[in-house]
Amino acid sequence: MARAEQWITEGAAPFLEPGEEVLAALVAAPRGYTQSVAGVRGVGNAQRKEATDAADQVGMRLEAPMALALTSKRLMALAISNPVGIGVSGKVNDVLSSVPIGE
C-alpha cells in the first residue's frame, strides 16, 4: 500500500460506518486546480468551476487538496491537511461529502 493510501485509510477509520472498509484512497484536487496555482488562471479556473459544478449535481463537495476514498459502501471526499511531498503524510480532518456507490 502506498504511503498516502495508508495514512488516508487510517485517518478515514473514525468516519466509516460499521462493516465499511476502505478499498482504495488517494490525494486529489479538482480538475483545473494545478493550472490555477501555476498561473494559467483563465483555463484553470474554468476547468475547476466545471468540475465543482458537476460534483455539486451529485452532492459531492470538492476541495484542494483533498483525499478520495472508495469504500465498500460509498465514495468519500475527505478534508485533509496539506500533504508533504507527493502525498507522503497528512491528516484526515473530516468528511466533505460522500455518495453511495450504488448511485
Side-chain angles (χ1 to χ4, degrees):
M1 181 181 294
R3 283 186 272 181
E5 186 174 16
Q6 182 175 349
W7 67 257
I8 295 166
T9 298
E10 291 169 0
F15 305 107
L16 299 178
E17 299 171 357
E20 186 175 26
E21 64 180 298
V22 174
L23 305 175
L26 54 92
V27 175
R31 183 171 185 215
Y33 172 76
T34 304
Q35 292 93 333
S36 294
V37 172
V40 189
R41 297 199 191 284
V43 173
N45 289 342
Q47 289 179 342
R48 190 172 184 178
K49 181 178 179 351
E50 184 179 333
T52 54
D53 287 350
D56 286 344
Q57 290 179 7
V58 295
M60 291 294 290
R61 181 173 155 207
L62 304 180
E63 287 187 2
M66 67 179 172
L68 293 176
L70 178 63
T71 76
S72 52
K73 297 182 179 185
R74 58 192 166 148
L75 174 64
M76 300 171 69
L78 302 164
I80 60 171
S81 60
N82 280 328
V84 176
I86 306 172
V88 173
S89 65
K91 180 182 178 205
V92 174
N93 298 321
D94 202 0
V95 176
L96 295 170
S97 57
S98 65
V99 177
I101 57 174
E103 294 182 20

